[in-house]
Amino acid sequence: MRRGLAGLHRLWSWRGRGREQPALAKTDVEITDFVGLAQPGTRDRVRPQPRAAGHRPTTPVRGPQPQISGEDGSGEQTHHLTLPPYRPAVMVFSTHGRAPVALRVVGRKGRSSRLYRLSGDGAPVSARVPLPDATRTIGFRVSAVGDPEAWTATAAPLREVPRFHDEINGTGSDVVHYRGQAGPGTLHYAGPGQIQLESLDDRLAYGLTVVEGRAGEHTFRWPGRGYYQVRSAGAWTLSAA
């Protein structure tokens, strides 16, 4: 009798171990273009995390971005663009005309220079200017070559910055996102004056000058993937070996 009870006990224990407890429901959140977690254009699945007190948004909210417009080009009036709640961000500056313009930022915090020469190389201007300042607004002045140009300045997320691995072309000052690895690179410049390629940190503040020179071909070494500022007044090509 005792052996029979022991056999039943073993049978009940084995059946109990075979039963699975109900799994807890899992909630996955799909994050796209999240600065610091996912590279632009990729999709990662992550477990949701509780927000800390005083959490500051770092991703752009879908909807209209801060924007201002003007038509002056004297360089005397100071305009103020409200920065978005997420950081870092860029200013996308565009014109309706084809003439080059110069944008001068009021205040030099986080910049090697306050002057940005913007050009469309015979087409309307569409260029990016980094917004590394921690203030709520950024002040700037616009100088046009020739008659005043109608322009628009929009605060935009980092996905608006052009990305490349091997080669990219542009004209005038702009911000680019290099997606390759550290190694040899080439800068070809076909414009007036000097050109500088500057590395930016993860807050889009000035890091160091990678290469500079005048018209012609210049070799240098990419420090690594990241955001870079091109300063020039003419056409250029950046490439990696």
Side-chain angles (χ1 to χ4, degrees):
M1 183 67 178
R2 289 181 179 178
R3 293 180 60 184
L5 291 176
L8 288 175
H9 177 73
R10 288 195 297 271
L11 178 61
W12 290 336
S13 300
W14 177 83
R15 286 182 177 178
R17 288 197 300 270
R19 294 176 182 176
E20 294 184 357
Q21 297 297 325
L24 295 177
K26 293 184 179 180
T27 302
D28 287 335
V29 178
E30 187 171 72
I31 294 182
T32 60
D33 294 342
F34 193 95
V35 177
L37 289 182
Q39 295 296 333
T42 64
R43 294 173 179 266
D44 292 337
R45 303 190 73 84
V46 299
R47 295 292 300 275
Q49 299 294 332
R51 287 189 175 185
H55 173 79
R56 185 179 186 182
T58 55
T59 53
V61 177
R62 299 288 181 177
Q65 305 296 329
Q67 183 182 96
I68 59 173
S69 299
E71 293 186 358
D72 67 295
S74 64
E76 297 180 356
Q77 182 178 356
T78 300
H79 305 275
H80 295 275
L81 175 66
T82 301
L83 270 62
Y86 55 86
R87 305 288 175 81
V90 293
M91 175 200 296
V92 178
F93 190 91
S94 58
T95 65
H96 299 286
R98 300 174 183 272
V101 298
L103 186 148
R104 184 176 294 276
V105 175
V106 178
R108 192 172 175 173
K109 183 179 180 180
R111 305 172 190 276
S112 62
S113 173
R114 296 181 298 171
L115 180 64
Y116 298 84
R117 301 186 185 278
L118 311 180
S119 172
D121 195 21
V125 174
S126 180
R128 286 138 290 270
V129 175
L131 299 175
D133 296 334
T135 57
R136 294 183 178 180
T137 63
I138 182 172
F140 63 94
R141 298 175 182 176
V142 179
S143 300
V145 177
D147 296 332
E149 297 281 2
W151 54 264
T152 301
T154 307
L158 294 182
R159 61 172 173 263
E160 297 296 329
V161 177
R163 297 171 288 180
F164 73 104
H165 283 85
D166 301 318
E167 186 174 284
I168 190 171
N169 301 311
T171 181
S173 298
D174 208 345
V175 178
V176 297
H177 187 188
Y178 175 57
R179 305 274 289 176
Q181 302 299 321
T186 302
L187 166 65
H188 182 80
Y189 183 49
Q194 279 197 326
I195 184 171
Q196 293 92 23
L197 177 65
E198 303 167 351
S199 67
L200 305 177
D201 64 15
D202 58 357
R203 302 297 295 176
L204 296 189
Y206 171 77
L208 58 88
T209 299
V210 179
V211 63
E212 60 182 335
R214 295 186 176 272
E217 188 170 280
H218 308 275
T219 58
F220 64 94
R221 184 173 181 82
W222 289 102
R225 66 187 303 170
Y227 293 92
Y228 291 83
Q229 169 75 57
V230 181
R231 292 184 182 275
S232 78
W236 46 265
T237 299
L238 281 169
S239 61

